[in-house]
Amino acid sequence: MQLQGRKAVVCGLAQSGLAAIELLVRQGAEAVACDAKPLGQLPEAAALIDRLCVEFRLQGEGVLDGADLVILSPGVRPDQPLFVEARERGAELIGDVELACRFLRGPIMGITGANGKTTVTSLAGHLLRECGIPVQVGGNIGTQAVSAMVETSRDGQWNVLELSSFQTEMFRQARVHIGVALNVTPDHLDRHHTLEEYAGAKLNMFAGQRPEDFAVLNAGDLITRSWVEAVRGQVHWFNGGGRVERGYWLNGSMLMAGDEEWMPASEISLRGHHNLENVLAAGCACELAGADRHGMRRAVANFPGVEHRIEFVRTRRGVDYFNDSKATNVDATIKALESFDSGLWVILGGKDKDSDYRPLRQLLTSRARAALLIGAAAQKITSHIEGSVHIEQCGDLSSAIDYAQARAVPGDTVLLAPACASFDQFKSYEH
């Protein structure tokens, strides 16, 4: 991609947008920074703009005048009228991840799905590293924006990227050499409106593949299984529910690689059946990237897990506390509930994403002592789960913790698995 002399407007000045501006400037583009907030409310952006001598524009009419390239950060909706008009007059619109992918050196492994992305991305990086294969990890995980990875990318080094639907919906030509689709269940419907649109945004990750590339699909997920004819790469499968023709699968308590036994499930410390599927997906993808099975088995056994994903916090007065703040949709919360047998005090709530919480009812009835509700979605969740379990309106997280701590008995578990976004009371799920 030739950027020398092109006028490029970056819309959205969070972390990934700022990294995109730096990349554009290094490549010789005339970069313009744009955000819906005034610069006075964006101290980090203001410092970068001052250092690079970049023009700032407040989002509104005329903000894209003169631009032949428009870069959208993941949090910016591409269906806004000013972006539609820019495309109609011939400007190129791409996401900040697509921009970065066109400059990354080394092959790319992209991992998407409604749930499990962070675990599989972290695990894939760990497996490759432990098998002696050069790798860097970034994307929708941690603090490493993809544009910031360009400077540290090298030929022969894998770039393992966690990719959200907000990122993949803007994919046009980005080439993912190994694409992994974990699952598609309802999420972010406040942005994508329908499950079909959400699934289409995920499928976009494979748009730039070539016949020599690979698509690792979940044979146990109806939607990802249906993509077999749509993807351009060679299809390999993973399946936690039975045999697959080509790929990794679960045979009782044994993880299989093709027709060969790979490792027993007892060697995996991560809780829940869904994490066995995550290990299968990562193993299949990493073997395609050159990792050997024996090395991967050793690496899986010493993988510490991921922060905020069914993460053990501590035991206090005989009560276990687990943080699954990454469970920001209903399906993720279901998987968290399934990882425990009984005695649960479940903290639910936050910012609603147009979700249906009724699928939680059965598991709450059979495994939970109470649902402790917090945040803006509390009343909607109440209307969906009422009658299934005792409901306590706690308002915020600290009050929910206090309530559970005062009533839980030894052997119980207090579980934060909100089924919502966190942005009503927190900056992010990590916060």
Side-chain angles (χ1 to χ4, degrees):
M1 187 182 191
Q2 179 56 250
L3 290 175
Q4 189 74 35
R6 295 186 71 178
K7 187 166 187 175
V9 178
V10 177
C11 298
L13 300 183
Q15 181 188 60
S16 61
L18 298 182
I21 290 172
E22 291 208 73
L23 175 59
L24 289 166
V25 171
R26 286 199 306 270
Q27 296 294 329
E30 181 187 343
V32 176
C34 167
D35 199 276
K37 295 180 180 178
L39 200 55
Q41 297 180 22
L42 303 166
E44 189 177 351
L48 180 82
I49 287 168
D50 182 63
R51 175 166 61 86
L52 298 179
C53 299
V54 170
E55 178 188 353
F56 172 78
R57 296 178 181 176
L58 190 64
Q59 186 171 314
E61 187 176 351
V63 71
L64 303 181
D65 287 353
D68 65 343
L69 175 63
V70 180
I71 312 294
L72 302 187
S73 297
V76 178
R77 299 183 68 112
D79 57 357
Q80 296 180 59
L82 75 163
F83 302 130
V84 175
E85 292 168 10
R87 187 182 286 114
E88 288 175 349
R89 65 170 172 75
E92 182 181 9
L93 265 73
I94 61 174
D96 68 294
V97 175
E98 169 113 6
L99 171 72
C101 286
R102 296 186 187 184
F103 291 94
L104 281 172
R105 295 168 58 188
I108 297 170
M109 180 187 295
I111 297 163
T112 196
N115 296 304
K117 296 186 298 296
T118 300
T119 297
V120 174
T121 302
S122 299
L123 179 57
H126 177 74
L127 298 187
L128 293 177
R129 201 175 294 114
E130 292 292 298
C131 289
I133 297 173
V135 61
Q136 62 174 348
V137 176
N140 193 48
I141 180 174
T143 59
Q144 180 80 314
V146 184
S147 293
M149 297 170 66
V150 172
E151 282 287 277
T152 53
S153 64
R154 300 288 181 267
D155 295 334
Q157 176 192 54
W158 279 91
N159 302 283
V160 177
L161 308 180
E162 177 185 331
L163 298 172
S164 73
S165 61
F166 292 4
Q167 294 168 320
T168 57
E169 72 176 335
M170 292 297 293
F171 269 37
R172 299 295 179 266
Q173 300 173 27
R175 182 184 179 189
V176 173
H177 300 79
I178 299 176
V180 184
L182 300 174
N183 43 61
V184 179
T185 59
D187 196 9
H188 299 299
L189 298 187
D190 54 335
R191 168 138 166 183
H192 298 295
H193 307 300
T194 67
L195 181 60
E196 290 73 23
E197 286 187 24
Y198 176 58
K202 296 287 190 187
L203 179 58
N204 262 0
M205 184 181 70
F206 300 95
Q209 282 199 319
R210 302 174 186 174
E212 63 268 29
D213 297 328
F214 299 100
V216 178
L217 305 178
N218 184 354
D221 183 278
L222 289 174
I223 292 177
T224 59
R225 192 168 69 223
S226 72
W227 292 352
V228 63
E229 299 297 332
V231 300
R232 300 176 183 178
Q234 303 169 46
V235 174
H236 288 246
W237 302 97
F238 72 94
N239 191 8
R243 186 184 183 86
V244 293
E245 182 178 340
R246 182 167 60 174
Y248 280 51
W249 54 286
L250 186 65
N251 182 18
S253 61
M254 180 62 67
L255 280 67
M256 307 290 292
D259 293 327
E260 296 182 7
E261 293 184 349
W262 180 35
M263 65 183 300
S266 59
E267 292 184 7
I268 300 170
S269 61
L270 304 176
R271 298 181 71 106
H273 179 82
H274 65 288
N275 273 321
L276 298 181
E277 295 182 334
N278 290 338
V279 171
L280 293 168
C284 184
C286 289
E287 181 172 333
L288 293 171
D292 71 273
R293 293 174 185 174
H294 296 297
M296 289 196 298
R297 176 175 175 175
R298 291 191 300 270
V300 168
N302 64 39
F303 179 62
V306 176
E307 285 187 313
H308 314 289
R309 173 54 84 193
I310 315 186
E311 178 188 11
F312 175 68
V313 179
R314 66 176 295 188
T315 300
R316 187 168 190 269
R317 297 174 184 167
V319 178
D320 290 339
Y321 291 78
F322 279 84
N323 166 29
D324 196 17
S325 64
K326 197 102 172 53
T328 58
N329 60 55
V330 171
D331 189 61
T333 299
I334 287 172
K335 288 178 168 58
L337 295 174
E338 289 174 341
S339 300
F340 300 88
D341 294 327
S342 61
L344 288 173
W345 301 79
V346 186
I347 302 171
L348 297 170
K351 182 179 182 294
D352 180 48
K353 296 191 284 185
D354 197 21
S355 299
D356 180 0
Y357 303 96
R358 284 173 287 230
L360 298 173
R361 293 179 61 90
Q362 184 176 350
L363 283 166
L364 289 171
T365 298
S366 62
R367 306 190 186 203
R369 299 196 188 279
L372 314 180
L373 303 190
I374 65 174
Q379 291 307 314
K380 179 178 179 181
I381 296 173
T382 298
S383 69
H384 284 197
I385 68 170
E386 205 161 20
S388 64
V389 70
H390 172 72
I391 296 172
E392 190 67 27
Q393 302 292 341
C394 294
D396 57 38
L397 184 57
S398 60
S399 298
I401 293 290
D402 289 344
Y403 183 91
Q405 185 173 256
R407 292 162 178 80
V409 299
D412 284 355
T413 298
V414 179
L415 172 67
L416 170 63
C420 294
S422 56
F423 301 122
D424 58 335
Q425 295 183 344
F426 300 93
K427 297 175 184 176
S428 64
Y429 72 86
E430 294 101 335
H431 180 207

